[in-house]
Every structure is written in C-alpha cells, then in structure tokens.
C-alpha cells in the first residue's frame, strides 16, 4: 500500500511540475551576440550560468535546461565592465575626496552602466584605507578594488595630501600586505611640488609589492619624459587625453603623438582614459586615435564633478571612442579584459567556463547623439552604448527594460 502511494505521488509530481530534471542551469542568456575579447569571441552565442559561474557558452542551448531565460536578441553580451579609475570613498566630510562628499557611492553608478568592478584610484592612503574598507567596500554590492595612495591620509586636498612626511613606504606596504585581494597597486597624483620624493616612494612601494603604479598626471612640475622613463612595463598612466595646467602633453606642435609617449607605450606602460571633469579633450583624443593611439582602458575618473559633466559614465566614454573609429571589440576589450590584466586580476573580465558570472547586456543604439568633452566641445556620432541588464555573480543587478520581469496583466 505504501509503495503504491509513493509511486502515485511521483507520477502526480511528474505531471504537475515542469521538467525540473532537465534544468541544469539557473540562468540562460539566449540569442545575444557574445563579445568576449579575451577568448576571441564576437558572434551570436548563448550563455548559461549556474551557481554564480559561467557554465556554458555555445550556440543553441535548449531553453528547457534553465530555470530562467533572458531574451538577449539584438544585444551584446559582454563580460561585466571594469572601471579602473573611480573615486568612491564616499563619506560625510565636506570639501575632500577621502571619506568625503567629493567621492560618490559605487552602487549608485556601477550596475546601471554595465560595471561590476570598480577600482578606486587612491582616494585612500594607509591611514584611511581601513575606514574605506569597512564603510564602503564591504558595504557595497559592486566589487571594489583599490590603488593605495602614497599620501597616508589619501585625497584630503592641499596641504595634507602633499605633506612629504606623511608618505611612508613601510606603512603603505603593510596595508597592501594586509589586504592583498583588494589593493591592486600604489598611486601617486595630485602633487604639485617639485620634489621627486612622492613619485619615487610610490614607485618603490609598487616595486616591493610587485603591483602596478597608477600615476594621475597631476605632477605638473616634473618633466614628462623623466616620469615615463622611470615607469615600468605594467604601470598605468591616466588622464591620457587631458591637459594639465594647459599643457597639452600628448601631442607635439604638429599634432603628432610625442615620440616619448609612443616609446612608453612600446615599453609596456598602459594608458587609461581617466576622463574626469577636466581631463578629456577631443582635440587630443581625435588626432591620437587617428594615429592608432588608443587607450588601453576606459577609466572614468568618476567623482562628484565628472558625473554630471561631459564624462557622464563609462559607456558614454566608450561610445566616444566607438564614434571616433575604434572598433567595437576593441572598445569592449578596453573595458573588460585589458583592465583585468592591468590590475593583475585575470580571473575577471571574460566569460570563460568557470569564471565569475559578471555579465553586461549592452544595446548599441543608432541615431544622432552628441558627446561632450571637458572643454565643452561636442562631437556628433551615430552610435550610443546603453546598459540593458547587468549581472554580478549570477545575480541580476540592473534591468532597464524589464527583460527578467514578469509581464503585467490587469
Ligand atoms: Zn582620479
């Protein structure tokens, strides 16, 4: 009698339930065009996710095999974007970036623009990193990594940020050793003096930590050639298309990219956009792009003074380069696999089987769009990248048009 009841129940379950035995995936992204530069993929493919990891990337995965299916037709399916230049050590202090109001809250800006990883560009130093870690990094859903400022208190403005006695190699190294998963390198910038000491100390930290140096080129008193000469392969130069104190450093008088900059690139130094509020000019970027001097990464320099200016967000910067002639896979590479390599996190920035399921579904819109630089100049283009849906670790974090939502019926 008991056996009969058991088999009857199984029979009823089989008829009433969807075919659960066939559902081996949590989420299936179906019908999109996968663009995964690390793996040399740019073609229509389906992507299946299980337990927060990429489980299968192939054509025609059966929708019956997944508990949830996203219709990605007409969309790009990219690895989650990585922004290597942000200022997200937000807090209540007025007038400064470190723990202050000049920084912005990461989750407010990340997923809605396809970003799953943000790298803070040295807003904190060894004194303030523990506070940044507790109050922002651990409290955010965005994956946040950080360059550590050689200035102990981080970006607190003049005069504290330029105080040589607060730039301590050992203390900075100790914090980097304490947080090896989160701190990806050392940063120097926002120093207006004539001493080489801050730069040399930051470089020394980077060398000892075996991590890259991130140079914000706010070192106006130091000769560019010497800076580039001291930098090592793998170090990162940001504000590539910017002007510091009206110094249009990237090009010579004839509009050609400076030989020293070309040499630095040959040597293996990376060039980040670092758009920010004042560090991106079409008059530099357009000629540079025409000479194939493309950025390695699309860092935004996100903060309170860039977010509502010409910068807007990383997809807007990517759209600028797309419209200036950079091809689409190269633009995506500069927002995914390149930055992952630059911060020595090769586990990120691609859709390999077993990788963390960070995925950005992006629409390439056609129309007439205006793009604004830091000088107030406009470039018109016919393509605009827009974030439709963002997944981090298999979880949907942003869904512009309700791709994952149930249809409403009254
Ligand atoms: Zn910055």
């Amino acid at each position: 009698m008991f056996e009969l009841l058991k088999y009857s129940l199984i029979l009823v379950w089989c008829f009433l339930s969807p075919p659960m035995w066939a559902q081996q995936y949590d989420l299936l992204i179906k019908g999109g065009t996968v663009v995964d530069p690390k793996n040399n993929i740019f073609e229509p493919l389906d992507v299946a996710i299980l337990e927060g990891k990429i489980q299968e990337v192939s054509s025609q995965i059966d929708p019956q095999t997944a508990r949830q299916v996203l219709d990605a037709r007409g969309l790009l399916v990219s690895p989650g974007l990585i922004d290597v230049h942000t200022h997200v050590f937000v807090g209540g202090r007025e007038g400064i970036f470190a723990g202050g109001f000049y920084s912005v809250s990461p989750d407010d800006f990340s997923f809605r623009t396809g970003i799953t990883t943000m790298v803070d560009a040295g807003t904190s130093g060894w004194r303030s990193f523990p506070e940044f870690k507790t109050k922002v990094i651990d409290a955010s859903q965005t994956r946040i990594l950080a360059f550590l400022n050689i200035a102990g208190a981080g970006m607190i403005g003049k005069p504290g940020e330029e105080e040589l006695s607060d730039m301590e190699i050992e203390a900075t190294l100790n914090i980097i050793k304490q947080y090896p998963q989160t701190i990806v390198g050392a940063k120097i910038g926002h120093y207006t003096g004539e001493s080489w000491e801050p730069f040399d100390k930051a470089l020394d930290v980077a060398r000892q930590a075996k991590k890259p140096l991130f140079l914000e080129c706010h070192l106006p008193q130091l000769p560019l050639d010497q800076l580039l000469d001291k930098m090592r392969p793998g170090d990162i130069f940001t504000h590539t298309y910017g002007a510091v104190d009206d110094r249009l450093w990237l090009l010579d008088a004839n509009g050609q990219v400076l030989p020293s900059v070309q040499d630095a690139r040959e040597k293996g130094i990376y060039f980040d956009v670092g758009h920010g509020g004042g560090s991106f000019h079409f008059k530099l970027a357009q000629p540079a792009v025409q000479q194939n001097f493309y950025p390695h990464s699309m860092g935004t320099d996100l903060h309170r003074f860039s977010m509502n200016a010409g910068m807007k967000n990383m997809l807007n910067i990517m759209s600028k380069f797309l419209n200036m002639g950079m091809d689409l896979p190269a633009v995506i590479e500069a927002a995914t696999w390149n930055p992952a390599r630059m911060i020595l996190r090769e586990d990120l920035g691609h859709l390999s089987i077993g990788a963390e399921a960070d995925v950005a579904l992006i629409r390439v819109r056609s129309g007439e769009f205006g793009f604004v630089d830091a000088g107030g100049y406009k470039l018109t283009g016919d393509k605009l990248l827009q974030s439709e849906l963002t997944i981090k670790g298999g979880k949907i974090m942003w869904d512009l048009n309700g791709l994952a939502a149930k249809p409403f019926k009254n």
Side-chain angles (χ1 to χ4, degrees):
M1 181 61 198
F2 174 73
E3 284 292 294
L4 190 65
L5 185 67
K6 190 170 92 181
Y7 287 119
S8 309
L9 282 174
I10 289 172
L11 211 60
V12 167
W13 179 81
C14 287
F15 278 112
L16 291 182
S17 309
M20 292 295 286
W21 62 88
Q23 291 181 334
Q24 68 216 65
Y25 301 127
D26 295 328
L27 186 60
L28 174 62
I29 304 164
K30 193 152 180 62
T33 297
V34 172
V35 52
D36 179 7
K38 192 234 167 177
N39 292 309
N40 248 321
I41 298 173
F42 185 34
E43 61 184 298
L45 288 172
D46 299 339
V47 177
I49 294 169
L50 178 67
E51 293 172 353
K53 308 283 184 199
I54 303 293
Q55 194 72 16
E56 186 180 348
V57 180
S58 60
S59 57
Q60 305 296 332
I61 301 176
D62 184 351
Q64 295 292 321
T65 59
R67 273 176 277 282
Q68 187 176 13
V69 180
L70 297 177
D71 181 358
R73 282 175 297 175
L75 300 176
L76 295 176
V77 181
S78 159
L81 307 183
I82 302 171
D83 186 349
V84 286
H85 189 161
T86 67
H87 295 284
V88 293
F89 181 13
V90 68
R93 299 183 191 107
E94 284 182 28
I96 58 172
F97 286 89
F101 199 60
Y102 288 179
S103 291
V104 296
S105 183
D107 290 354
D108 295 3
F109 292 87
S110 54
F111 304 121
R112 60 184 49 232
T113 56
I115 292 169
T116 48
T117 301
M118 283 180 165
V119 185
D120 182 88
T123 316
S124 71
W126 67 271
R127 286 182 199 281
S128 52
F129 182 80
E131 179 192 341
F132 179 32
K133 178 81 166 56
T134 314
K135 290 188 177 169
V136 179
I137 295 177
D138 295 347
S140 299
Q141 290 184 289
T142 311
R143 178 184 300 100
I144 301 167
L145 307 170
F147 289 100
L148 197 63
N149 204 320
I150 190 65
M155 290 171 64
I156 55 169
K158 285 187 184 181
E161 195 173 335
E162 303 200 359
E163 182 52 61
L164 299 183
S165 64
D166 198 34
M167 299 180 185
E168 295 186 30
I169 293 172
E170 283 310 313
T172 308
L173 273 170
N174 279 340
I175 289 288
I176 294 177
K177 280 179 196 145
Q178 274 181 51
Y179 301 93
Q181 299 300 318
T182 309
I183 300 178
V184 297
K187 170 243 171 88
I188 172 68
H190 298 276
Y191 173 74
T192 54
E194 293 180 5
S195 170
W196 276 94
E197 197 179 322
F199 178 87
D200 288 342
K201 281 182 170 174
L203 187 63
D204 196 4
V205 167
R207 188 178 286 122
Q208 290 197 56
K210 297 185 171 57
K211 290 177 188 283
L213 173 73
F214 190 88
L215 171 68
E216 285 221 55
C217 47
H218 297 293
L219 305 173
Q221 305 302 326
L222 304 181
L224 173 70
D225 290 2
Q226 288 180 43
L227 282 167
L228 292 171
D229 201 43
K230 285 189 177 215
M231 289 172 78
R232 310 159 303 160
D235 289 338
I236 303 162
F237 200 104
T238 190
H239 300 320
T240 297
Y241 308 96
V244 176
D245 293 346
D246 292 329
R247 208 170 43 141
L248 300 181
W249 70 277
L250 180 65
L251 307 177
D252 66 16
N254 298 317
Q256 297 297 302
V257 175
L258 293 167
S260 58
V261 176
Q262 294 280 23
D263 289 349
R265 191 185 177 95
E266 288 280 302
K267 185 170 88 171
I269 291 173
Y270 293 122
F271 288 86
D272 175 52
V273 175
H275 190 303
S279 302
F280 178 86
H281 297 275
F282 287 125
K283 65 183 169 189
L284 288 170
Q286 181 75 277
V289 163
Q290 281 164 357
Q291 293 164 58
N292 292 325
F293 193 89
Y294 295 111
H296 291 101
S297 57
M298 296 281 173
T300 56
D301 197 7
L302 172 71
H303 51 68
R304 189 156 302 279
F305 310 107
S306 64
M307 59 186 237
N308 293 325
M311 190 281 284
K312 298 182 176 67
N313 58 58
M314 194 154 91
L315 286 172
N316 198 274
I317 297 173
M318 293 161 69
S319 302
K320 286 171 177 163
F321 281 92
L322 194 60
N323 283 292
M324 282 191 287
M326 195 169 172
D327 72 47
L328 184 63
V331 167
I332 297 291
E333 185 168 20
T336 56
W337 178 232
N338 274 358
R341 285 163 52 224
M342 288 159 64
I343 57 171
L344 309 180
R345 284 294 302 264
E346 297 194 359
D347 55 318
L348 302 173
H350 53 85
L351 299 174
S352 308
I353 307 303
E356 193 79 2
D358 291 359
V359 188
L361 270 58
I362 297 168
R363 185 180 302 282
V364 185
R365 287 181 57 195
S366 296
E368 191 179 317
F369 306 103
F371 301 96
V372 180
D373 75 3
Y377 292 97
K378 179 167 87 169
L379 181 90
T380 306
D382 60 6
K383 296 181 275 290
L384 178 73
L385 301 176
Q386 184 176 56
S387 169
E388 278 290 338
L389 184 140
T390 307
I391 298 166
K392 175 166 178 274
K395 195 172 161 204
I396 295 168
M397 310 301 290
W398 166 257
D399 186 2
L400 182 67
N401 282 300
L403 275 180
K406 295 187 281 280
F408 172 71
K409 289 191 195 105
N410 205 347

